[in-house]
């Protein structure tokens, strides 16, 4: 907050952690919808540049989501928004971005 410098690290998820989360999800929920994250180009032109680790973490996060989806493909469903990169700073979405993500979610969970 305040536009200062923030050091970012990469989070690595162990196979044990992924298995634990996967088991808890399928034990506790009937239907599971997992939402990945948009992959923002490291060449994005923004006022406050993101560290290289930010872009690596996007991929690591989506890899985690993909592993959780595969944990039980009958129950887990991916809502893939990885190509919806409507963001003005690499993190927060534009109005159009929120709208497109909302429409994708509604379509995937069949509320319309």
């Amino acid at each position: 907050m305040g536009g200062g410098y923030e050091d970012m690290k990469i989070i690595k998820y162990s196979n044990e952690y992924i298995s634990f989360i996967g088991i808890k999800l399928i034990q506790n929920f009937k239907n599971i919808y997992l939402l990945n994250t948009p992959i923002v180009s490291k060449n994005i032109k923004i006022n406050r540049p993101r560290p290289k680790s930010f872009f690596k973490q996007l991929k690591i996060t989506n890899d985690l989501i993909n592993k959780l989806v595969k944990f039980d493909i009958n129950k887990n469903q991916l809502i893939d928004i990885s190509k919806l990169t409507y963001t003005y700073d690499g993190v927060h979405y534009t109005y159009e971005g929120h709208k497109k993500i909302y429409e994708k979610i509604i379509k995937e969970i069949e509320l319309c």
Side-chain angles (χ1 to χ4, degrees):
M1 186 157 172
Y5 177 77
E6 296 177 36
D7 191 21
M8 294 185 73
K9 305 290 184 208
I10 294 174
I11 299 171
K12 295 185 180 186
Y13 303 101
S14 70
N15 288 332
E16 293 81 18
Y17 177 77
I18 295 168
S19 292
F20 175 78
I21 297 299
I23 289 167
K24 289 297 180 186
L25 285 174
I26 62 174
Q27 285 177 340
N28 291 296
F29 298 97
K30 181 179 175 185
N31 296 309
I32 301 164
Y33 296 92
L34 296 157
L35 186 70
N36 59 11
T37 191
I39 300 296
V40 179
S41 169
K42 62 183 175 186
N43 298 320
I44 187 173
K45 303 293 184 216
I46 52 178
N47 291 335
R48 186 174 170 207
R50 303 288 172 212
K52 290 180 183 178
S53 61
F54 171 81
F55 301 98
K56 289 179 185 176
Q57 190 63 47
L58 295 175
K59 182 181 179 327
I60 290 169
T61 299
N62 282 353
D63 289 345
L64 170 66
I65 297 298
N66 289 332
K67 287 177 183 177
L68 291 173
V69 168
K70 291 176 184 172
F71 203 85
D72 185 339
I73 59 172
N74 295 317
K75 193 179 266 197
N76 301 343
Q77 182 177 341
L78 174 66
I79 300 176
D80 185 3
I81 63 164
S82 63
K83 292 180 176 48
L84 299 178
T85 57
Y86 298 86
T87 175
Y88 57 87
D89 65 357
V91 177
H92 302 95
Y93 302 108
T94 61
Y95 174 82
E96 185 177 6
H98 280 285
K99 184 177 181 215
K100 289 191 177 291
I101 291 168
Y102 167 79
E103 290 168 351
K104 179 88 173 181
I105 292 169
I106 294 302
K107 179 181 174 189
E108 294 291 329
I109 62 176
E110 301 174 343
L111 289 179
C112 291

